[in-house]
Amino acid sequence: MNEDQQLISLIRDNPQEGLSKAIELYGGTLKWIIIKILGNSSPQDVEECMSDVFVKLWQNIDSFKIERKVPLKSYLFGITRYTAIDYSRKNSTQMEFIPIEESEIGVSIDFTDELTKEHNCQILQEAIDELPEPDKKIFIHRYYLHQQINAIASRLSLSPKTVENKLYRGKQKLRQSLIERGIVL
């Protein structure tokens, strides 16, 4: 039984001990992810978000499939990211939600199969990681952290027009990279 299987069994059999072990193993990284997404939120918001992450892990532990070869920490990082984004949306009345739509980069992907979705998300993440700076930062701030163009421009000391142009060109580069990696358009 590998470490993930042991932790999953522990969470199922003894939730208090299992979640304590999960916090010990991943708490620092999860807190870092939450702080990066929530920005200048209060320590109470960060702790509340972190608590919600572990509640969601406990509630959904039976739906985690070890045979999919996705590490538990990756699953947990995803829960953390989405939970923190939800908190960020709730706490920000000025935040504009801009999803990275498949149609924006000219990609048509069938996400009906969960395994395919995970694989395609990994390919998308790798393609974004390979974007040059500051394009990568612009993409992350716009489509992962849902920041407005003016805020991104200010943070990166660029003009809003430069940010818009880099987003446009970045989507073209991303589209080509996805084609090369085997995502069918």
Side-chain angles (χ1 to χ4, degrees):
M1 190 180 290
N2 70 30
E3 188 176 313
D4 282 354
Q5 291 170 326
Q6 290 174 348
L7 184 56
I8 290 166
S9 294
L10 188 58
I11 292 171
R12 286 179 181 148
D13 299 338
N14 185 344
Q16 185 174 359
E17 188 177 330
L19 291 173
S20 291
K21 181 71 173 173
I23 291 169
E24 178 185 319
L25 290 171
Y26 306 116
T29 305
L30 301 184
K31 189 171 189 175
W32 180 85
I33 292 170
I34 292 167
I35 289 170
K36 285 294 183 186
I37 293 173
L38 294 184
N40 294 330
S41 292
S42 70
Q44 293 84 7
D45 286 342
V46 171
E47 291 302 319
E48 184 178 328
C49 183
M50 192 141 152
S51 294
D52 283 355
V53 167
F54 286 103
V55 167
K56 288 179 182 180
L57 174 63
W58 173 67
Q59 290 173 334
N60 296 301
I61 198 67
D62 289 330
S63 66
F64 181 77
K65 305 284 189 247
I66 198 77
E67 62 272 4
R68 288 198 177 155
K69 307 288 185 217
V70 176
L72 182 62
K73 72 178 181 181
S74 296
Y75 179 73
L76 193 52
F77 293 168
I79 291 172
T80 303
R81 182 177 168 269
Y82 289 113
T83 303
I85 288 171
D86 286 344
Y87 266 78
S88 181
R89 285 184 195 138
K90 286 183 218 172
N91 293 338
S92 176
T93 57
Q94 296 177 355
M95 183 170 286
E96 174 186 0
F97 178 71
I98 307 291
I100 183 167
E101 297 293 335
E102 295 164 355
S103 61
E104 287 186 49
I105 55 175
V107 176
S108 176
I109 304 169
D110 179 9
F111 283 126
T112 55
D113 177 29
E114 198 60 33
L115 186 57
T116 301
K117 181 179 178 180
E118 289 171 13
H119 178 71
N120 288 338
C121 286
Q122 182 179 358
I123 290 172
L124 181 61
Q125 182 63 48
E126 289 170 359
I128 290 171
D129 285 344
E130 290 177 2
L131 287 173
E133 293 297 346
D135 298 19
K136 177 180 170 183
K137 285 182 183 172
I138 291 170
F139 244 79
I140 289 170
H141 285 285
R142 183 68 171 163
Y143 296 113
Y144 282 76
L145 303 178
H146 310 295
Q147 294 178 348
Q148 295 179 355
I149 288 175
N150 289 337
I152 297 168
S154 174
R155 174 174 279 200
L156 300 177
S157 301
L158 300 169
S159 73
K161 190 66 176 169
T162 300
V163 171
E164 288 173 355
N165 288 337
K166 288 194 173 285
L167 282 170
Y168 176 77
R169 288 188 196 110
K171 285 187 267 188
Q172 291 175 329
K173 288 178 191 174
L174 187 58
R175 181 179 192 274
Q176 186 59 39
S177 181
L178 293 175
I179 290 170
E180 290 169 4
R181 292 170 186 272
I183 291 185
V184 180
L185 303 179

